[in-house]
């Protein structure tokens, strides 16, 4: 079976995807901050800030899944945090691209995460397909454009099959963001956040990992895909559904926007 190199493998999606791939018989390796090749999933070291990478990991890879990126839900969005969010996605992709250019071997595919934030934060009833351009200028939209442009260079410059998955809000019991939404609901304080009108594009982590598996196995799959549920739902409706499923009260008042 093929060897799958995952960046950001220790994250929520990376760990779940790694388990799925191992169950399917793939060999999985990670690029990580620390080298530990004797681990159940061998880890090879890289540091994009210093432009350092263990080339051996990239040479072993038949397919690269690029999930690396500073968690947008951690810490306040200071200028430094915003810089980390962008650079941890874009510069890591650039380091991988430069490394592959220096090798004789090419991976069969490069599969990168992106986010539904590509379409912007503006509340609208528009339905977006993958062909719709990003016309907003908020931070997340700009970040996603840079993120995707860095990924698509693998196709443009090296003719490596490239897939980009624009991910929405990931539902998982291990998700910090989801737990933050569940906590007040568990105590009977479930309510919309802010106006409650903002749309919440979501995907269950099992479905998302199967999308990555399809991107790995389907050689005809290339380009950008919206990795979200087929229907759209507002924050108020989502929180109401969550309260119903948990059999807890739902408050008509909303939490303040701040």
């Amino acid at each position: 079976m093929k060897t799958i190199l995952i960046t950001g493998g220790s994250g929520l999606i990376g760990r779940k995807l790694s388990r799925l791939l191992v169950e399917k018989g793939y060999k999985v390796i990670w690029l990580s901050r620390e080298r530990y090749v004797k681990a159940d999933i061998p880890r090879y070291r890289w540091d994009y800030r210093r432009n350092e990478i263990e080339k051996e990991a990239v040479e072993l890879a038949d397919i690269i899944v690029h999930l690396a990126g500073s968690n947008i839900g951690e810490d306040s969005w200071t200028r430094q945090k915003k810089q980390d969010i962008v650079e941890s996605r874009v510069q890591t992709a650039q380091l991988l691209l430069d490394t592959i250019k220096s090798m004789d071997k090419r991976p069969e595919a490069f599969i990168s995460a992106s986010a539904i934030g590509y379409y912007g934060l503006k509340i609208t009833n528009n339905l977006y397909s993958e062909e719709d351009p990003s016309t907003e200028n908020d931070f997340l939209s700009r970040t996603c454009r840079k993120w995707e442009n860095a990924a698509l260079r693998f196709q443009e410059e090296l003719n490596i099959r490239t897939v980009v998955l624009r991910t929405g809000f990931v539902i998982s019991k291990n998700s910090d963001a989801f737990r933050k939404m569940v906590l007040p609901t568990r105590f009977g304080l479930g309510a919309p956040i802010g106006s409650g009108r903002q749309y919440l594009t979501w995907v269950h982590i099992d479905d998302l990992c199967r999308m990555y598996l399809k991107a790995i196995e389907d050689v005809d799959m290339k380009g950008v895909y919206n990795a979200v549920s087929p229907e759209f739902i507002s924050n108020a409706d989502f929180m109401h559904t969550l309260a119903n499923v948990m059999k807890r009260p739902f408050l008509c008042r909303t939490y303040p926007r701040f």
Side-chain angles (χ1 to χ4, degrees):
M1 291 293 283
K2 296 176 181 178
T3 298
I4 314 298
L5 172 62
I6 300 180
T7 73
S10 61
L12 175 72
I13 299 168
R15 287 186 180 277
K16 186 78 172 180
L17 177 60
S18 295
R19 288 195 294 272
L20 174 63
L21 291 172
V22 170
E23 289 171 2
K24 293 289 184 179
Y26 290 95
K27 180 179 180 181
V28 178
I29 59 177
W30 290 354
L31 278 171
S32 181
R33 292 187 183 93
E34 301 294 335
R35 176 183 172 88
Y36 187 21
V37 294
K38 293 184 178 180
D40 291 339
I41 296 179
R43 305 179 187 190
Y44 295 83
R45 186 181 176 279
W46 73 335
D47 186 339
Y48 73 91
R49 290 186 177 90
R50 297 183 178 182
N51 206 40
E52 296 175 349
I53 186 170
E54 288 195 85
K55 196 172 179 180
E56 178 186 356
V58 185
E59 291 173 335
L60 289 170
D62 295 304
I63 293 172
I64 299 175
V65 178
H66 185 42
L67 304 177
S70 177
N71 190 334
I72 67 171
E74 289 181 352
D75 307 319
S76 299
W77 281 8
T78 61
R79 180 177 296 180
Q80 182 60 52
K81 176 62 176 179
K82 286 184 175 182
Q83 183 177 334
D84 290 342
I85 288 171
V86 175
E87 291 180 352
S88 61
R89 289 160 169 79
V90 175
Q91 290 188 11
T92 47
Q94 182 64 51
L95 178 55
L96 288 166
L97 182 70
D98 292 340
T99 303
I100 293 171
K101 284 181 176 179
S102 70
M103 296 164 30
D104 294 330
K105 179 188 174 184
R106 296 279 190 268
E108 299 171 17
F110 183 81
I111 301 164
S112 177
S114 181
I116 215 72
Y118 174 89
Y119 300 106
L121 294 176
K122 184 172 66 176
I123 296 176
T124 173
N125 290 327
N126 292 342
L127 295 177
Y128 294 102
S129 74
E130 291 84 351
E131 286 72 37
D132 287 305
S134 173
T135 58
E136 301 302 314
N137 198 38
D138 58 77
F139 171 68
L140 286 183
S141 183
R142 295 195 307 272
T143 298
C144 289
R145 288 198 295 270
K146 294 176 183 177
W147 196 359
E148 294 185 12
N149 288 339
L152 292 171
R153 289 181 63 191
F154 287 78
Q155 178 76 54
E156 296 162 359
E157 298 182 19
L158 299 178
N159 198 31
I160 294 172
R161 181 175 68 88
T162 300
V163 180
V164 174
L165 296 181
R166 290 178 184 154
T167 306
F169 180 75
V170 179
I171 295 180
S172 166
K173 64 181 181 180
N174 297 317
S175 164
D176 289 337
F178 186 57
R179 283 199 291 248
K180 289 175 182 177
M181 299 178 78
V182 167
L183 185 61
T185 304
R186 178 173 291 125
F187 289 103
L189 299 173
I193 298 172
S195 69
R197 294 190 300 112
Q198 61 272 35
Y199 286 109
L200 187 68
T201 47
W202 61 273
V203 62
H204 192 278
I205 191 167
D206 289 346
D207 293 325
L208 179 59
C209 288
R210 283 192 286 266
M211 290 181 202
Y212 275 102
L213 179 63
K214 179 173 175 57
I216 288 169
E217 296 182 340
D218 187 348
V219 296
D220 293 324
M221 190 172 173
K222 65 171 60 176
V224 179
Y225 296 83
N226 290 332
V228 294
S229 61
E231 74 277 4
F232 59 94
I233 188 170
S234 71
N235 171 265
D237 288 340
F238 184 90
M239 296 301 291
H240 195 189
T241 302
L242 185 61
N244 285 341
V245 170
M246 296 179 67
K247 296 181 172 57
R248 304 302 294 162
F250 180 74
L251 306 179
C252 294
R253 65 175 179 81
T254 64
Y255 287 108
R257 285 184 60 186
F258 73 86

